[in-house]
Structures are given as C-alpha cells and as structure tokens.
Amino acid sequence: MKRELPLLRVVAGAIIEGNTCFVAQRSASASHNALKWELPGGKVELDESPKAALRRELREELGIEVEIGDWLGRGRHRSSHRVIQLDVYVTRLAAGEIHLADHVDGCWARVENLTHLDWSEADRALLPALARILGG
C-alpha cells in the first residue's frame, strides 16, 4: 500500500526583462537541491495566497517588489518524504535592485542559456513554457 506523502506548496516568479529571465542558484547548504538553479520564490504559508507568498518571498530573498502576471505553469517533484508542488507566475520587476540573500549566484538568462544550467527537479518542467515566453 502506497502511503500519502505531505504536499509542500511552493511558488516562484519568472522575472522577465526583455528577452531574459532572472534565475538563481541555491546555496550549497540548502536542505534539498543544493547548488541547483531555480526560479526564485519559496513556500506558501498556511493562510497565504500564492501571489501574496510570491511577493513576500521575492522581497525576502531578492529585496525587490514585483508585478505578478499570468500563471506560467506547475512543476512537481516527489522525494522520499514529500511532494513539492511549484506554481510559477510571470513577473516583472517593479521596484528595487536584486540582492541575493539566500542564493549563491544569479543571472539574467536568455532562452539559449536555459538548458546549460543544472535545474532543480520541479523547475525543470517549466523550461518549455519559459522558453516560449523568452522567444525560443
């Protein structure tokens, strides 16, 4: 009998500027997916909407304010102890400059650079949709 794993709801922003998207590399001490690349974001708290969580997480992780647009898609990753459900929204930088608080690296990636990065499992599923937005 298969046991039901807990669901961790996570939200991320595809921060688009022109034909680039900001991507960030997780730290070596991250609890999972250490040094993997991801679209920045984080956990959705119990009484929080996905968009409110995204605004909060990008403020905490990058020091920026964003305009949140359309839902881009969903990625899922099943580990031995939980299922991560990642919802990604198209966002645009509204205020502030990016300063990394939790990540070791970050860059503005073009569509041709996306496949050269070592992506976290849940984010990998969003690459085709992200490539379409970036014109690839």
Side-chain angles (χ1 to χ4, degrees):
M1 184 166 153
K2 211 176 200 183
R3 70 179 173 99
E4 189 76 20
L5 294 175
L7 178 68
L8 177 63
R9 293 176 55 222
V10 180
V11 65
I15 306 167
I16 306 295
E17 186 172 289
N19 63 347
T20 63
C21 178
F22 186 79
V23 297
Q25 187 179 31
R26 296 176 62 83
S27 74
S29 62
S31 61
H32 69 283
N33 289 315
L35 297 176
K36 300 281 186 177
W37 287 84
E38 67 180 0
L39 298 170
K43 297 175 191 168
V44 178
E45 301 296 336
L46 281 177
D47 293 329
E48 194 173 40
S49 73
K51 289 184 177 183
L54 182 56
R55 280 189 188 88
R56 176 184 53 75
E57 287 286 347
L58 294 180
R59 192 177 308 117
E60 291 172 2
E61 288 187 4
L62 303 178
I64 60 172
E65 299 295 328
V66 294
E67 294 174 6
I68 301 174
D70 293 335
W71 181 73
L72 182 65
R74 176 173 288 159
R76 288 176 74 92
H77 174 65
R78 182 186 178 101
S79 71
S80 60
H81 62 285
R82 67 181 172 190
V83 174
I84 296 171
Q85 177 179 291
L86 171 67
D87 284 300
V88 177
Y89 292 85
V90 176
T91 62
R92 301 218 183 271
L93 185 60
E97 291 184 22
I98 294 175
H99 298 285
L100 302 177
D102 295 334
H103 296 88
V104 296
D105 199 4
C107 67
W108 290 95
R110 295 180 182 277
V111 67
E112 60 268 18
N113 305 121
L114 296 178
T115 57
H116 300 294
L117 299 173
D118 186 13
W119 288 90
S120 68
E121 292 296 324
D123 290 79
R124 193 172 293 135
L126 281 296
L127 293 180
L130 185 57
R132 281 191 298 278
I133 286 179
L134 296 178

